[in-house]
Amino acid sequence: MDDGGVLMKQDKFLTGILIGIGVLIALALILFFTRQDKRDYIAETSPDGVVHNYVLAVLNKDYQKAYGYLADLEHKPTYEEFRQSFFNGMVNPGDVGVDIGSVEINQDEAVVTLAVYYSNTDPFSSRYASEDRALLVEQNGDWKLNTMPYNFWDYSWYQEPFKP
């Protein structure tokens, strides 16, 4: 009895499966590398546009651009204080994601609702989200941030310095 025909069919079938797996892996790698960091800045004419651009600037470590979105209010940090907050770990976006929700504008103030997503270190758990807000003020026709959620903001900013 000749089993050569059956073995040839099994070899072709196995080869087909392996080629299919290879194609899927190649597609996944292509998508991964072509879609990475393709986030773009958007118009800064609305509060949600400012929040989007600030978060993107922070994630891109473009601290000069991010600093430009801060409101000019009393006790605003200097650029160096702002930058040092990131280097010292006081502000750490890490593995945090943000979805921008609704915007509520009341004259020269705005509240942008955010869903902040945190990754778990446990490989069996999924990420979780919390709702938070960004507060903005309108200054000279531009929207500027005066509060963002933790991971994107040092709560010592805009606070009166401690005087013993």
Side-chain angles (χ1 to χ4, degrees):
M1 188 156 127
D2 184 18
D3 286 336
V6 173
L7 289 175
M8 283 284 266
K9 288 180 184 176
Q10 287 178 339
D11 286 344
K12 286 182 183 179
F13 182 71
L14 181 60
T15 302
I17 288 175
L18 292 175
I19 289 172
I21 290 171
V23 167
L24 289 175
I25 290 172
L27 281 173
L29 288 172
I30 289 169
L31 285 174
F32 176 77
F33 287 113
T34 59
R35 295 190 68 195
Q36 280 216 307
D37 293 327
K38 293 294 182 185
R39 300 168 288 204
D40 293 321
Y41 291 103
I42 61 174
E44 302 168 358
T45 56
S46 64
D48 51 330
V50 170
V51 171
H52 171 91
N53 290 348
Y54 174 79
V55 168
L56 186 56
V58 166
L59 293 175
N60 289 338
K61 295 180 176 34
D62 186 350
Y63 301 121
Q64 189 70 44
K65 185 168 187 70
Y67 185 75
Y69 294 112
L70 269 58
D72 292 320
L73 300 172
E74 191 174 9
H75 306 299
K76 178 182 178 178
T78 65
Y79 172 69
E80 192 54 36
E81 291 168 335
F82 176 79
R83 206 170 64 93
Q84 284 301 317
S85 292
F86 292 92
F87 296 144
N88 295 336
M90 299 303 291
V91 180
N92 183 8
D95 293 330
V96 176
V98 175
D99 280 339
I100 297 174
S102 63
V103 177
E104 185 179 319
I105 299 174
N106 185 9
Q107 296 177 0
D108 64 344
E109 297 180 330
V111 177
V112 178
T113 304
L114 305 171
V116 182
Y117 295 94
Y118 301 92
S119 297
N120 283 326
T121 55
D122 176 3
F124 301 107
S125 300
S126 61
R127 68 183 185 163
Y128 62 96
S130 69
E131 186 175 301
D132 216 322
R133 284 163 209 74
L135 305 177
L136 297 92
V137 293
E138 189 176 21
Q139 296 181 323
N140 301 322
D142 294 327
W143 288 103
K144 299 289 186 169
L145 291 161
N146 78 4
T147 303
M148 279 287 289
Y150 172 73
N151 293 90
F152 293 96
W153 199 261
D154 186 337
Y155 288 107
S156 69
W157 298 341
Y158 297 103
Q159 301 299 314
E160 185 174 355
F162 176 72
K163 295 177 185 171

